[in-house]
Amino acid sequence: MKRISLIAIALLLLLAACRKDERISRDEVLATLDVLEQKLEWLDYRVGQETWELYTTGRSDSLEFYRGLTNYVVSDPETFAVVRQGKPMVTDKEDVRRVELLESDLLLAQVEASLPVTRVRDSLVNIDIEFRADFDGQKRSQSYLYRLYRTDGDRFRRESAFRAYNSIGDTLAGGLEQLIRLRNQGAAKLSAANFFTLVFKHQGLDAPRYLSILNTLDSLSLQPYKDILNRAQEKLGYDRLEIWDLAFAYAEINRTGDYYFPADSQFAMISRSLKALGYDLDKLPIYFDLQPRSDKSQLAYAFPIKPPYDVRVLANVTDGYQSARTLMHEIGHALHMTHIAQDRALFVNSVSESWQEGMAQLVAALIDEPDWLIRYAGMSPETATAFLRARAEQEIIYLRTTIMRLIWEYEAYQNPNQDLNKLYWDLFERYMMLPRHDDLKPWASIIHYTTHPVYVHNYLFGDMITAQSLVSLQRMYGTLIDNPSVGSFLNQNYFRFGARYEWRDLLERGTGERLDPQYLARRLGIGSGVAASSSSGL
């Protein structure tokens, strides 16, 4: 059956190539959509399987082949031309949505799957995967250095770990600069001003409104962040606070919180809490690989092998709150994927990244409810209150770090020929208000810029989706913990639709409002206490 499908696709692509100057019919457009959707479903499945093999065992025999085949299919200009030319002929609502999703994917693939881009990107990814910095006479992983520069009591070691962590930037910087220019060149061929503009247009996002949201969050968080810096400096007693000092100011309270999350208990406490919402992980088609091993990825992922029937979660569970919350986030992805109830594979596999992150963060946010920490982690009310207060401050730090990174990426694509290192440290001084270190290139070590360009904003939107949804859920149901109505709401109003509808419409369905950043500001304790009007929605 698969071989017949491949032959059919090849014939269809050949037909499109032979008739590119002729007018196509509506039936041919629909046939292209059907065959392309079938092909992508199969390729998604194969790529998912091979990626799982790579991340769990350290090797895959066929991943490169299937990724190459996927790139060949989605970057084919003739298929793209048929979809674009046939767009006005499609009137059925379901088919209109299919065209929207496929056109967006195919358009971006004309750039991201092109040979010049893939060559540079893949070479940088290989460097990132294999890189281990020299530290204390040993080769150390990025995760090890990240923990060290945030928690070690020796200030000199924290600085050394920070520098080692970012030393990969020296190796990646030139390639990333080239990659940004190549993406812009590809976007220009599609009549877009730059790659950032191309992505935003086909995500239905308005760049001026987006920048306005970032400015609003900057303004709201400015004074609370200054207060955080002052308290940290007073607590640590340093004349000049450095970036490697900021997280360390919370090391003591974080250690207190970490005590309640031993590695061998995290999955059990998460499973019990989700079962109380109606999600029995033992009865869902979610498969877990949670034990740390030398041959598996250091990162955590949810793998949609064949959702909703086969979803897998990879994590390295270690002691501490951050490990538990990361696991909860990835399980949130898996719950979403296993509860999509759509017949079309496209509506299962093409969910907006913002919505995916929103669903994962919404589930993960339950772990930050006081009742959850008291009931499942075993904290006292006083400990939970102190821990969550510190977490809120660290989230403000994270917000300003995110704004800085988002503005850097926006400005880099506007003018990739500027000094990108100077741009980074200028923005660092503005948003983080800490000393610059121009000898380092932290921007080049942010792997998302290489592997997932113009993606980081999805995490911010995911946090906004979460904050807005939590307020709505609390209004409707009161407590969120051990409340099966919360699980039912997520299934019926969010999860089951997949990509069938645009994500902002689903958010409005669930909360009664368009996306409003003021809910995130209120959750972080930096807002005015009153949500903005619906006219401010994105």
Side-chain angles (χ1 to χ4, degrees):
M1 181 65 182
K2 292 176 181 175
R3 185 171 181 177
I4 294 173
S5 299
L6 290 172
I7 294 173
I9 294 170
L11 290 174
L12 185 61
L13 293 176
L14 180 61
L15 177 65
C18 293
R19 303 181 68 250
K20 62 183 179 180
D21 294 326
E22 299 179 26
R23 184 173 181 79
I24 60 174
S25 69
R26 179 176 177 275
D27 288 343
E28 287 174 315
V29 174
L30 295 178
T32 300
L33 296 180
D34 290 341
V35 172
L36 185 57
E37 185 175 351
Q38 182 184 20
K39 174 64 174 175
L40 291 176
E41 178 186 12
W42 181 69
L43 285 170
D44 285 342
Y45 171 64
R46 293 300 298 141
V47 168
Q49 284 186 316
E50 295 298 328
T51 304
W52 174 261
E53 282 295 309
L54 176 65
Y55 280 67
T56 55
T57 69
R59 64 185 299 272
S60 167
D61 293 331
S62 304
L63 179 58
E64 185 176 350
F65 170 77
Y66 285 113
R67 279 179 173 170
L69 189 55
T70 301
N71 286 345
Y72 172 78
V73 171
V74 297
S75 64
D76 181 76
E78 306 303 342
T79 303
F80 179 50
V82 170
V83 173
R84 269 200 153 180
Q85 185 179 340
K87 186 175 180 179
M89 304 177 192
V90 177
T91 56
D92 177 80
K93 286 185 177 180
E94 184 173 290
D95 289 333
V96 168
R97 180 61 176 158
R98 292 168 68 200
V99 169
E100 288 176 356
L101 294 171
L102 287 172
E103 182 189 24
S104 180
D105 288 344
L106 295 177
L107 181 80
L108 297 180
Q110 306 307 300
V111 178
E112 199 59 19
S114 66
L115 189 57
V117 168
T118 57
R119 280 177 174 168
V120 176
R121 184 188 64 230
D122 291 350
S123 68
L124 297 180
V125 169
N126 289 335
I127 293 172
D128 182 79
I129 290 174
E130 297 174 1
F131 181 81
R132 297 293 186 274
D134 291 316
F135 187 82
D136 281 350
Q138 298 184 54
K139 295 290 186 180
R140 295 294 191 179
S141 69
Q142 293 296 85
S143 58
Y144 174 89
L145 295 169
Y146 179 80
R147 287 195 303 272
L148 194 65
Y149 87 71
R150 298 168 66 87
T151 62
D152 196 281
D154 186 318
R155 196 184 191 198
F156 176 77
R157 278 176 59 80
R158 290 202 306 273
E159 177 181 357
S160 299
F162 179 83
R163 290 182 174 278
Y165 177 84
N166 286 289
S167 63
I168 190 176
D170 291 332
T171 305
L172 298 179
L176 179 55
E177 290 172 339
Q178 182 184 6
L179 196 54
I180 291 172
R181 288 192 292 269
L182 287 171
R183 285 171 174 151
N184 273 359
Q185 290 170 12
K189 294 177 182 178
L190 296 168
S191 302
N194 55 61
F195 185 73
F196 185 98
T197 300
L198 183 73
V199 173
F200 259 48
K201 177 182 178 181
H202 285 272
Q203 288 184 349
L205 299 175
D206 178 72
R209 174 61 190 144
Y210 164 74
L211 295 174
S212 176
I213 288 174
L214 296 185
N215 287 334
T216 297
L217 293 174
D218 171 26
S219 297
L220 290 173
S221 63
L222 179 59
Q223 190 55 52
Y225 178 69
K226 287 181 177 179
D227 294 340
I228 288 170
L229 292 181
N230 290 335
R231 286 194 295 272
Q233 188 163 10
E234 181 179 350
K235 179 180 180 178
L236 297 175
Y238 299 145
D239 292 334
R240 188 174 79 160
L241 203 65
E242 292 279 3
I243 183 60
W244 47 82
D245 299 323
L246 194 51
F248 180 69
Y250 297 92
E252 182 178 352
I253 185 62
N254 286 342
R255 278 195 296 271
T256 298
D258 287 345
Y259 170 81
Y260 294 90
F261 293 94
D264 57 2
S265 300
Q266 291 171 26
F267 186 75
M269 65 175 73
I270 288 172
S271 296
R272 286 190 293 113
S273 69
L274 291 176
K275 191 171 185 178
L277 297 181
Y279 298 114
D280 189 340
L281 295 181
D282 290 333
K283 296 181 179 179
L284 289 171
I286 304 174
Y287 309 94
F288 296 90
D289 183 339
L290 306 180
Q291 297 303 315
R293 296 191 307 277
S294 60
D295 60 348
K296 66 183 286 191
S297 172
Q298 302 175 59
L299 304 177
Y301 293 99
F303 289 82
I305 305 298
K306 193 172 179 60
Y309 311 109
D310 183 354
V311 178
R312 306 175 194 179
V313 172
L314 171 73
N316 292 280
V317 176
T318 57
D319 293 336
Y321 162 85
Q322 201 59 52
S323 172
R325 200 181 193 285
T326 298
L327 179 58
M328 190 79 150
H329 177 96
E330 298 308 324
I331 291 175
H333 276 305
L335 291 177
H336 179 201
M337 295 171 194
T338 53
H339 286 82
I340 295 176
Q342 296 294 317
D343 293 332
R344 288 200 171 278
L346 188 63
F347 295 158
V348 176
N349 296 322
S350 296
V351 180
S352 159
E353 291 89 348
S354 292
W355 192 245
Q356 290 182 46
E357 297 302 336
M359 297 303 94
Q361 281 293 79
L362 186 51
V363 173
L366 297 176
I367 207 172
D368 292 327
E369 290 293 310
D371 288 348
W372 198 101
L373 294 174
I374 295 168
R375 190 167 308 175
Y376 292 102
M379 289 186 185
S380 68
E382 296 76 17
T383 300
T385 297
F387 180 69
L388 290 177
R389 185 184 303 118
R391 286 294 310 156
E393 291 188 5
Q394 291 172 86
E395 287 298 313
I396 293 173
I397 298 171
Y398 172 75
L399 173 64
R400 294 193 65 82
T401 303
T402 299
I403 294 172
M404 173 191 70
R405 291 174 173 177
L406 292 174
I407 295 295
W408 182 91
E409 188 171 34
Y410 173 80
E411 294 292 347
Y413 279 104
Q414 301 304 307
N415 178 16
N417 295 318
Q418 64 182 301
D419 185 336
L420 296 182
N421 199 51
K422 181 179 183 302
L423 171 65
Y424 177 86
W425 288 109
D426 287 349
L427 293 172
F428 182 88
E429 282 187 314
R430 174 182 171 183
Y431 290 104
M432 305 312 295
M433 303 176 189
L434 295 169
R436 61 195 293 150
H437 296 278
D438 291 85
D439 57 314
L440 299 175
K441 297 181 173 65
W443 50 275
S445 67
I446 300 171
I447 195 59
H448 288 81
Y449 293 155
T450 295
T451 60
H452 294 76
V454 194
Y455 185 94
V456 178
H457 65 276
N458 292 305
Y459 296 119
L460 179 60
F461 287 169
D463 286 339
M464 289 192 283
I465 290 168
T466 295
Q468 187 166 324
S469 296
L470 287 173
V471 169
S472 183
L473 286 168
Q474 287 164 342
R475 286 172 180 166
M476 288 187 287
Y477 304 120
T479 181
L480 305 180
I481 306 305
D482 294 357
N483 190 340
S485 295
V486 173
S488 296
F489 174 92
L490 295 177
N491 294 342
Q492 293 301 314
N493 294 281
Y494 285 173
F495 290 173
R496 69 186 177 104
F497 293 111
R500 179 66 181 83
Y501 302 106
E502 211 277 337
W503 68 267
R504 280 157 291 199
D505 294 336
L506 289 178
L507 181 66
E508 188 171 15
R509 171 192 175 92
T511 67
E513 300 177 73
R514 304 296 282 181
L515 184 69
D516 190 332
Q518 287 288 345
Y519 284 104
L520 176 60
R522 290 168 59 192
R523 181 168 174 79
L524 296 176
I526 59 175
S528 60
V530 179
S533 66
S534 59
S535 62
S536 70
L538 188 65

PDB file of all heavy atoms in Angstrom, residues 273-291:
ATOM      1  N   SER A 273      -1.832  12.684  40.525  1.00  0.00           N
ATOM      2  CA  SER A 273      -2.535  13.963  40.376  1.00  0.00           C
ATOM      3  C   SER A 273      -3.317  14.023  39.072  1.00  0.00           C
ATOM      4  O   SER A 273      -4.421  14.571  39.025  1.00  0.00           O
ATOM      5  CB  SER A 273      -1.548  15.126  40.464  1.00  0.00           C
ATOM      6  OG  SER A 273      -0.687  15.182  39.338  1.00  0.00           O
ATOM      7  N   LEU A 274      -2.759  13.454  38.022  1.00  0.00           N
ATOM      8  CA  LEU A 274      -3.464  13.453  36.734  1.00  0.00           C
ATOM      9  C   LEU A 274      -4.633  12.474  36.740  1.00  0.00           C
ATOM     10  O   LEU A 274      -5.669  12.734  36.113  1.00  0.00           O
ATOM     11  CB  LEU A 274      -2.483  13.111  35.612  1.00  0.00           C
ATOM     12  CG  LEU A 274      -1.423  14.174  35.316  1.00  0.00           C
ATOM     13  CD1 LEU A 274      -0.443  13.679  34.259  1.00  0.00           C
ATOM     14  CD2 LEU A 274      -2.056  15.489  34.875  1.00  0.00           C
ATOM     15  N   LYS A 275      -4.498  11.370  37.442  1.00  0.00           N
ATOM     16  CA  LYS A 275      -5.601  10.409  37.537  1.00  0.00           C
ATOM     17  C   LYS A 275      -6.808  11.050  38.200  1.00  0.00           C
ATOM     18  O   LYS A 275      -7.964  10.759  37.838  1.00  0.00           O
ATOM     19  CB  LYS A 275      -5.154   9.169  38.317  1.00  0.00           C
ATOM     20  CG  LYS A 275      -6.144   8.008  38.231  1.00  0.00           C
ATOM     21  CD  LYS A 275      -5.554   6.748  38.842  1.00  0.00           C
ATOM     22  CE  LYS A 275      -6.496   5.558  38.652  1.00  0.00           C
ATOM     23  NZ  LYS A 275      -5.903   4.307  39.209  1.00  0.00           N
ATOM     24  N   ALA A 276      -6.550  11.946  39.152  1.00  0.00           N
ATOM     25  CA  ALA A 276      -7.647  12.650  39.822  1.00  0.00           C
ATOM     26  C   ALA A 276      -8.364  13.612  38.885  1.00  0.00           C
ATOM     27  O   ALA A 276      -9.490  14.038  39.171  1.00  0.00           O
ATOM     28  CB  ALA A 276      -7.114  13.407  41.040  1.00  0.00           C
ATOM     29  N   LEU A 277      -7.729  13.953  37.761  1.00  0.00           N
ATOM     30  CA  LEU A 277      -8.372  14.798  36.740  1.00  0.00           C
ATOM     31  C   LEU A 277      -9.063  13.959  35.668  1.00  0.00           C
ATOM     32  O   LEU A 277      -9.714  14.513  34.780  1.00  0.00           O
ATOM     33  CB  LEU A 277      -7.335  15.705  36.073  1.00  0.00           C
ATOM     34  CG  LEU A 277      -6.609  16.732  36.943  1.00  0.00           C
ATOM     35  CD1 LEU A 277      -5.649  17.547  36.098  1.00  0.00           C
ATOM     36  CD2 LEU A 277      -7.585  17.637  37.670  1.00  0.00           C
ATOM     37  N   GLY A 278      -8.876  12.638  35.730  1.00  0.00           N
ATOM     38  CA  GLY A 278      -9.489  11.766  34.742  1.00  0.00           C
ATOM     39  C   GLY A 278      -8.514  11.200  33.729  1.00  0.00           C
ATOM     40  O   GLY A 278      -8.927  10.539  32.765  1.00  0.00           O
ATOM     41  N   TYR A 279      -7.207  11.411  33.932  1.00  0.00           N
ATOM     42  CA  TYR A 279      -6.189  10.912  33.005  1.00  0.00           C
ATOM     43  C   TYR A 279      -5.417   9.776  33.666  1.00  0.00           C
ATOM     44  O   TYR A 279      -4.540  10.014  34.512  1.00  0.00           O
ATOM     45  CB  TYR A 279      -5.221  12.025  32.613  1.00  0.00           C
ATOM     46  CG  TYR A 279      -5.858  13.180  31.885  1.00  0.00           C
ATOM     47  CD1 TYR A 279      -5.903  14.450  32.470  1.00  0.00           C
ATOM     48  CD2 TYR A 279      -6.427  13.013  30.626  1.00  0.00           C
ATOM     49  CE1 TYR A 279      -6.485  15.516  31.809  1.00  0.00           C
ATOM     50  CE2 TYR A 279      -7.019  14.076  29.961  1.00  0.00           C
ATOM     51  CZ  TYR A 279      -7.049  15.322  30.559  1.00  0.00           C
ATOM     52  OH  TYR A 279      -7.629  16.382  29.902  1.00  0.00           O
ATOM     53  N   ASP A 280      -5.731   8.562  33.301  1.00  0.00           N
ATOM     54  CA  ASP A 280      -5.036   7.394  33.838  1.00  0.00           C
ATOM     55  C   ASP A 280      -3.898   7.030  32.878  1.00  0.00           C
ATOM     56  O   ASP A 280      -4.132   6.447  31.821  1.00  0.00           O
ATOM     57  CB  ASP A 280      -6.009   6.219  33.978  1.00  0.00           C
ATOM     58  CG  ASP A 280      -5.404   5.042  34.731  1.00  0.00           C
ATOM     59  OD1 ASP A 280      -4.158   4.981  34.809  1.00  0.00           O
ATOM     60  OD2 ASP A 280      -6.160   4.200  35.237  1.00  0.00           O
ATOM     61  N   LEU A 281      -2.678   7.379  33.247  1.00  0.00           N
ATOM     62  CA  LEU A 281      -1.541   7.171  32.355  1.00  0.00           C
ATOM     63  C   LEU A 281      -1.319   5.696  32.041  1.00  0.00           C
ATOM     64  O   LEU A 281      -0.781   5.364  30.982  1.00  0.00           O
ATOM     65  CB  LEU A 281      -0.274   7.773  32.971  1.00  0.00           C
ATOM     66  CG  LEU A 281      -0.266   9.296  33.147  1.00  0.00           C
ATOM     67  CD1 LEU A 281       1.066   9.756  33.743  1.00  0.00           C
ATOM     68  CD2 LEU A 281      -0.539  10.012  31.842  1.00  0.00           C
ATOM     69  N   ASP A 282      -1.743   4.808  32.946  1.00  0.00           N
ATOM     70  CA  ASP A 282      -1.574   3.373  32.707  1.00  0.00           C
ATOM     71  C   ASP A 282      -2.473   2.872  31.583  1.00  0.00           C
ATOM     72  O   ASP A 282      -2.205   1.815  30.999  1.00  0.00           O
ATOM     73  CB  ASP A 282      -1.880   2.576  33.977  1.00  0.00           C
ATOM     74  CG  ASP A 282      -0.823   2.773  35.051  1.00  0.00           C
ATOM     75  OD1 ASP A 282       0.329   3.071  34.683  1.00  0.00           O
ATOM     76  OD2 ASP A 282      -1.150   2.633  36.242  1.00  0.00           O
ATOM     77  N   LYS A 283      -3.524   3.621  31.273  1.00  0.00           N
ATOM     78  CA  LYS A 283      -4.493   3.176  30.269  1.00  0.00           C
ATOM     79  C   LYS A 283      -4.434   3.995  28.980  1.00  0.00           C
ATOM     80  O   LYS A 283      -5.245   3.788  28.081  1.00  0.00           O
ATOM     81  CB  LYS A 283      -5.902   3.229  30.852  1.00  0.00           C
ATOM     82  CG  LYS A 283      -6.110   2.283  32.023  1.00  0.00           C
ATOM     83  CD  LYS A 283      -7.530   2.345  32.566  1.00  0.00           C
ATOM     84  CE  LYS A 283      -7.723   1.362  33.727  1.00  0.00           C
ATOM     85  NZ  LYS A 283      -9.091   1.420  34.282  1.00  0.00           N
ATOM     86  N   LEU A 284      -3.489   4.907  28.914  1.00  0.00           N
ATOM     87  CA  LEU A 284      -3.345   5.734  27.714  1.00  0.00           C
ATOM     88  C   LEU A 284      -2.162   5.235  26.882  1.00  0.00           C
ATOM     89  O   LEU A 284      -1.192   4.701  27.438  1.00  0.00           O
ATOM     90  CB  LEU A 284      -3.129   7.202  28.102  1.00  0.00           C
ATOM     91  CG  LEU A 284      -4.336   7.921  28.692  1.00  0.00           C
ATOM     92  CD1 LEU A 284      -3.936   9.289  29.245  1.00  0.00           C
ATOM     93  CD2 LEU A 284      -5.446   8.082  27.649  1.00  0.00           C
ATOM     94  N   PRO A 285      -2.204   5.420  25.568  1.00  0.00           N
ATOM     95  CA  PRO A 285      -1.099   4.952  24.705  1.00  0.00           C
ATOM     96  C   PRO A 285       0.111   5.884  24.741  1.00  0.00           C
ATOM     97  O   PRO A 285       0.575   6.393  23.725  1.00  0.00           O
ATOM     98  CB  PRO A 285      -1.740   4.910  23.320  1.00  0.00           C
ATOM     99  CG  PRO A 285      -2.772   5.987  23.363  1.00  0.00           C
ATOM    100  CD  PRO A 285      -3.319   5.972  24.767  1.00  0.00           C
ATOM    101  N   ILE A 286       0.599   6.103  25.970  1.00  0.00           N
ATOM    102  CA  ILE A 286       1.772   6.944  26.186  1.00  0.00           C
ATOM    103  C   ILE A 286       2.863   6.052  26.779  1.00  0.00           C
ATOM    104  O   ILE A 286       2.649   5.391  27.790  1.00  0.00           O
ATOM    105  CB  ILE A 286       1.482   8.111  27.148  1.00  0.00           C
ATOM    106  CG1 ILE A 286       0.297   8.949  26.643  1.00  0.00           C
ATOM    107  CG2 ILE A 286       2.716   8.996  27.307  1.00  0.00           C
ATOM    108  CD1 ILE A 286      -0.147  10.031  27.623  1.00  0.00           C
ATOM    109  N   TYR A 287       4.014   6.068  26.143  1.00  0.00           N
ATOM    110  CA  TYR A 287       5.111   5.192  26.547  1.00  0.00           C
ATOM    111  C   TYR A 287       6.281   6.053  27.020  1.00  0.00           C
ATOM    112  O   TYR A 287       6.594   7.074  26.414  1.00  0.00           O
ATOM    113  CB  TYR A 287       5.508   4.285  25.386  1.00  0.00           C
ATOM    114  CG  TYR A 287       4.302   3.582  24.796  1.00  0.00           C
ATOM    115  CD1 TYR A 287       3.629   4.119  23.688  1.00  0.00           C
ATOM    116  CD2 TYR A 287       3.797   2.424  25.369  1.00  0.00           C
ATOM    117  CE1 TYR A 287       2.495   3.505  23.168  1.00  0.00           C
ATOM    118  CE2 TYR A 287       2.674   1.801  24.849  1.00  0.00           C
ATOM    119  CZ  TYR A 287       2.021   2.343  23.753  1.00  0.00           C
ATOM    120  OH  TYR A 287       0.893   1.739  23.250  1.00  0.00           O
ATOM    121  N   PHE A 288       6.939   5.611  28.103  1.00  0.00           N
ATOM    122  CA  PHE A 288       7.913   6.456  28.785  1.00  0.00           C
ATOM    123  C   PHE A 288       9.313   5.843  28.789  1.00  0.00           C
ATOM    124  O   PHE A 288       9.477   4.642  28.981  1.00  0.00           O
ATOM    125  CB  PHE A 288       7.476   6.691  30.236  1.00  0.00           C
ATOM    126  CG  PHE A 288       6.190   7.457  30.372  1.00  0.00           C
ATOM    127  CD1 PHE A 288       4.963   6.789  30.428  1.00  0.00           C
ATOM    128  CD2 PHE A 288       6.194   8.838  30.435  1.00  0.00           C
ATOM    129  CE1 PHE A 288       3.781   7.489  30.553  1.00  0.00           C
ATOM    130  CE2 PHE A 288       5.011   9.549  30.554  1.00  0.00           C
ATOM    131  CZ  PHE A 288       3.800   8.874  30.618  1.00  0.00           C
ATOM    132  N   ASP A 289      10.313   6.712  28.600  1.00  0.00           N
ATOM    133  CA  ASP A 289      11.723   6.377  28.815  1.00  0.00           C
ATOM    134  C   ASP A 289      12.265   7.492  29.705  1.00  0.00           C
ATOM    135  O   ASP A 289      12.547   8.600  29.233  1.00  0.00           O
ATOM    136  CB  ASP A 289      12.481   6.305  27.491  1.00  0.00           C
ATOM    137  CG  ASP A 289      13.943   5.898  27.674  1.00  0.00           C
ATOM    138  OD1 ASP A 289      14.464   6.048  28.791  1.00  0.00           O
ATOM    139  OD2 ASP A 289      14.557   5.446  26.698  1.00  0.00           O
ATOM    140  N   LEU A 290      12.409   7.198  30.994  1.00  0.00           N
ATOM    141  CA  LEU A 290      12.691   8.255  31.967  1.00  0.00           C
ATOM    142  C   LEU A 290      14.020   8.099  32.687  1.00  0.00           C
ATOM    143  O   LEU A 290      14.436   9.005  33.403  1.00  0.00           O
ATOM    144  CB  LEU A 290      11.566   8.314  33.019  1.00  0.00           C
ATOM    145  CG  LEU A 290      10.141   8.472  32.481  1.00  0.00           C
ATOM    146  CD1 LEU A 290       9.142   8.509  33.627  1.00  0.00           C
ATOM    147  CD2 LEU A 290      10.010   9.723  31.624  1.00  0.00           C
ATOM    148  N   GLN A 291      14.691   6.970  32.520  1.00  0.00           N
ATOM    149  CA  GLN A 291      15.929   6.729  33.266  1.00  0.00           C
ATOM    150  C   GLN A 291      17.132   7.353  32.552  1.00  0.00           C
ATOM    151  O   GLN A 291      17.330   7.136  31.357  1.00  0.00           O
ATOM    152  CB  GLN A 291      16.149   5.232  33.435  1.00  0.00           C
ATOM    153  CG  GLN A 291      15.065   4.548  34.243  1.00  0.00           C
ATOM    154  CD  GLN A 291      14.887   5.148  35.624  1.00  0.00           C
ATOM    155  OE1 GLN A 291      15.875   5.411  36.320  1.00  0.00           O
ATOM    156  NE2 GLN A 291      13.649   5.375  36.028  1.00  0.00           N
TER     157      GLN A 291
END
